[in-house]
């Protein structure tokens, strides 16, 4: 019998096993060709930018490319004290060339990331260094500016001489290098990033919780109403998506500011006096209120799609068997909606962690999130390395939280419908 099975062939004489393998291989190739445009799109628009961001967070060749002689000397010689003539000669020659190429300001900006005032130091020195024709280089450079005799400046340049550095990650974690190049905690007045990370996670969790509290009853109502009524209410849920985000945020500014509609109503009703108007704007309260309104549809839709598939007979059966309304809800209905809760919470939290425009408009100084600081370094300070490091840490934190969520609840239990 076994021999008979092995002799089975197709009409053209090909062994059946080989024909099945060829057919399966063709099907896999066809499937790969069908998904290849989407795969290419994801690689180009998602994977490649993330990889570039991760690389940018550890790579900055501005100093090493524009100060080649000094960078070579610094890489070959440890900096225990202010160096001598050889280093200053390399510094003078590189500054002269950087001045001709108009790159001295970029070099100063790179050093300024770790030592304040370096941009103006390099600019002013580059204008006067052309007068130095020969030794003693160190003496003439110190005569131009005594800052060239600071050990801290040289340790910063020694780190910048390497195109790959972990300094941006150290700064993003509120760490700094001292005069000897050892890693220590940054001065208290400059420890802002860990505070922003903590605030971002806390406010995102709070917004997620508020969206769940507000969205769960709405989704339940939508799932239980007759179709003609639920469709009408669903239009109201989706209505914010048809309105500009900027318009919605500006509307909340009008409502919540000290002289806004809500405070005027409270004063009119006598609940507060005119001098005691509630400050609900340009603080964390404004960020939470505005973002909860913006994120609410992202919680309602996954909940509704899961609740719609939960048979109402289950709760009625539990009630007929003696369970009270609360018991029937907690032990029968609620567990079946956990996949929707997980999907909505995960969606709202991840979007909230990276939100930018709403905290920038309504958050003030106490309602800013880490995304606002990333945007500041990308657009204003032009410290792209630090911005990339902050983004990489935020990405890593979201991945860790996602992993913890998977271990505790299970991503397989998350459903969008």
């Amino acid at each position: 019998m076994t021999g008979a099975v092995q002799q089975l062939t197709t009409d053209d004489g090909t062994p059946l096993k080989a024909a099945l393998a060829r057919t399966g291989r063709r099907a896999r190739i066809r499937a790969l060709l069908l998904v290849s445009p989407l795969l290419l799109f994801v690689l180009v628009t998602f994977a490649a930018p993330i990889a570039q961001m991760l690389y940018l967070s550890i790579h900055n060749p501005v100093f090493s490319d524009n100060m080649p002689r000094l960078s070579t000397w610094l890489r070959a010689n440890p900096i225990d004290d202010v160096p001598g003539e050889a280093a200053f000669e390399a510094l003078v020659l590189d500054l002269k060339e950087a001045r001709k190429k108009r790159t001295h300001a970029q070099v100063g900006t790179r050093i300024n990331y770790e030592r304040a005032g370096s941009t103006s130091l390099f600019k002013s020195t580059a204008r006067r260094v052309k007068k130095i024709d020969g030794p003693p280089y160190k003496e003439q450079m110190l005569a131009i500016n005594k800052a060239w005799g600071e050990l801290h400046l040289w340790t910063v340049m020694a780190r910048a001489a390497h195109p790959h550095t972990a300094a941006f990650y150290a700064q993003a974690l509120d760490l700094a290098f001292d005069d000897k190049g050892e890693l220590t905690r940054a001065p208290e007045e400059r420890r802002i990033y860990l505070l922003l990370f903590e605030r971002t996670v806390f406010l995102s969790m709070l917004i997620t919780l508020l969206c769940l509290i507000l969205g769960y009853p709405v989704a339940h109502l939508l799932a239980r109403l007759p179709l003609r009524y639920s469709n009408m209410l669903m239009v109201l849920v989706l209505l914010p998506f048809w309105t500009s985000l900027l318009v919605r945020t500006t509307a909340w500014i009008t409502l919540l500011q000290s002289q806004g509609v809500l405070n005027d109503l409270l004063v009119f009703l006598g609940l507060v006096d005119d001098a005691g108007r509630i400050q609900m704007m340009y603080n964390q309260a404004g960020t939470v209120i505005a973002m909860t309104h913006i994120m609410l549809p992202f919680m309602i839709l996954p909940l509704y799609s899961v609740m719609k598939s939960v048979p109402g007979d289950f709760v009625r059966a539990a009630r007929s068997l003696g369970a009270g309304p609360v018991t029937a809800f907690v032990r029968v209905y609620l567990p079946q909606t956990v996949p929707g809760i997980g999907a909505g919470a995960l969606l709202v939290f991840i979007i909230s962690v990276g939100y930018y425009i709403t905290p920038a408009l309504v958050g003030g100084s106490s309602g800013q999130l880490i995304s606002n600081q990333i945007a500041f370094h990308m657009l204003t300070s032009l410290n792209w390395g630090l911005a990339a490091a902050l983004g990489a840490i935020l990405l890593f934190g979201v991945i860790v939280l996602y992993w913890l969520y998977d271990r505790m609840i299970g991503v397989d239990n998350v459903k969008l419908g």
Side-chain angles (χ1 to χ4, degrees):
M1 193 65 163
T2 304
V5 173
Q6 292 177 347
Q7 296 299 322
L8 289 178
T9 60
T10 60
D11 293 340
D12 58 357
T14 304
L16 182 60
K17 185 176 180 179
L20 291 174
R22 185 171 62 248
T23 302
R25 186 165 55 252
R26 288 176 178 173
R28 289 192 295 271
I29 294 174
R30 186 162 49 249
L32 179 61
L33 292 176
L34 288 174
V35 302
S36 57
L38 178 60
L39 179 62
L40 181 62
F41 177 80
V42 171
L43 289 175
V44 171
T45 63
F46 181 73
I50 290 179
Q52 184 180 14
M53 178 193 72
L54 294 175
Y55 186 63
L56 187 63
S57 66
I58 61 171
H59 181 254
N60 192 315
V62 171
F63 187 89
S64 58
D65 287 351
N66 294 289
M67 306 286 284
R69 299 180 184 85
L70 181 59
S71 297
T72 302
W73 191 95
L74 290 172
R75 288 195 294 266
N77 298 274
I79 299 298
D80 298 323
D81 199 354
V82 178
E85 278 294 302
F88 276 90
E89 180 182 3
L91 173 62
V92 169
L93 295 176
D94 284 340
L95 276 178
K96 287 182 177 180
E97 289 191 7
R99 170 71 174 174
K100 293 178 181 178
K101 297 178 181 178
R102 300 182 181 276
T103 59
H104 58 285
Q106 300 175 23
V107 174
T109 301
R110 168 64 184 92
I111 304 303
N112 198 76
Y113 294 158
E114 299 183 56
R115 181 192 175 278
S118 296
T119 303
S120 58
L121 172 64
F122 274 80
K123 286 182 177 180
S124 61
T125 304
R127 288 194 297 267
R128 302 171 62 183
V129 76
K130 60 183 180 180
K131 299 179 181 179
I132 301 177
D133 295 328
Y137 295 101
K138 182 175 181 178
E139 181 181 340
Q140 294 180 77
M141 287 294 288
L142 293 178
I144 292 176
N145 197 313
K146 293 181 179 180
W148 292 110
E150 296 180 5
L151 177 59
H152 182 224
L153 172 61
W154 284 94
T155 56
V156 172
M157 290 194 295
R159 287 192 297 275
H162 299 270
H164 295 90
T165 176
F168 296 123
Y169 281 99
Q171 191 174 353
L173 295 173
D174 289 339
L175 300 174
F177 293 92
D178 60 14
D179 293 345
K180 298 181 179 180
E182 297 179 355
L183 200 60
T184 60
R185 293 199 67 186
E188 187 173 355
E189 65 274 9
R190 299 182 63 182
R191 299 175 194 168
I192 60 173
Y193 299 116
L194 290 181
L195 174 64
L196 284 174
F197 278 118
E198 293 173 2
R199 181 191 298 168
T200 299
V201 173
F202 171 73
L203 292 183
S204 298
M205 288 183 173
L206 178 59
I207 291 166
T208 302
L209 179 61
L210 291 175
C211 286
L212 178 60
I213 294 173
L214 297 174
Y216 197 97
V218 175
H220 181 268
L221 179 64
L222 288 170
R224 292 292 166 258
L225 282 176
L227 190 60
R228 63 181 181 275
Y229 298 119
S230 65
N231 286 341
M232 186 182 304
L233 291 179
M234 182 59 72
V235 171
L236 299 179
V237 173
L238 297 176
L239 190 60
F241 290 126
W242 304 342
T243 308
S244 169
L245 174 63
L246 187 61
V247 172
R248 283 180 280 164
T249 304
T250 306
W252 277 113
I253 295 176
T254 305
L255 288 171
L256 298 179
Q257 62 184 327
S258 297
Q259 302 298 323
V261 176
L262 187 56
N263 268 297
D264 287 344
L265 180 61
L266 294 175
V267 172
F268 176 77
L269 296 175
L271 299 177
V272 298
D273 56 18
D274 194 60
R277 290 173 176 263
I278 303 174
Q279 184 64 30
M280 294 178 286
M281 187 52 54
Y282 308 119
N283 51 25
Q284 291 187 16
T287 298
V288 171
I289 293 172
M291 285 190 61
T292 299
H293 168 252
I294 292 170
M295 293 292 110
L296 193 56
F298 294 100
M299 178 66 75
I300 294 175
L301 294 177
L303 285 172
Y304 166 74
S305 61
V306 172
M307 289 177 177
K308 193 68 176 176
S309 63
V310 177
D313 297 337
F314 290 177
V315 175
R316 288 192 292 269
R319 295 292 304 276
S320 67
L321 293 174
V326 176
T327 302
F329 173 78
V330 172
R331 302 190 63 178
V332 177
Y333 188 78
L334 182 61
Q336 297 182 79
T337 62
V338 168
I341 295 174
L346 202 60
L347 188 62
V348 171
F349 178 80
I350 291 178
I351 295 177
S352 299
V353 162
Y355 226 72
Y356 161 68
I357 186 167
T358 301
L361 292 177
V362 305
S365 59
S366 64
Q368 298 284 300
L369 303 182
I370 193 65
S371 56
N372 301 107
Q373 198 66 24
I374 293 173
F376 169 78
H377 287 302
M378 288 293 294
L379 303 175
T380 304
S381 72
L382 301 181
N383 191 348
W384 293 356
L386 179 56
L390 291 170
I393 293 174
L394 183 63
L395 175 63
F396 177 75
V398 170
I399 291 175
V400 170
L401 290 173
Y402 184 82
W403 177 79
L404 292 174
Y405 181 91
D406 182 38
R407 294 299 298 266
M408 292 186 296
I409 299 178
V411 177
D412 294 338
N413 295 324
V414 174
K415 296 180 181 177
L416 293 173

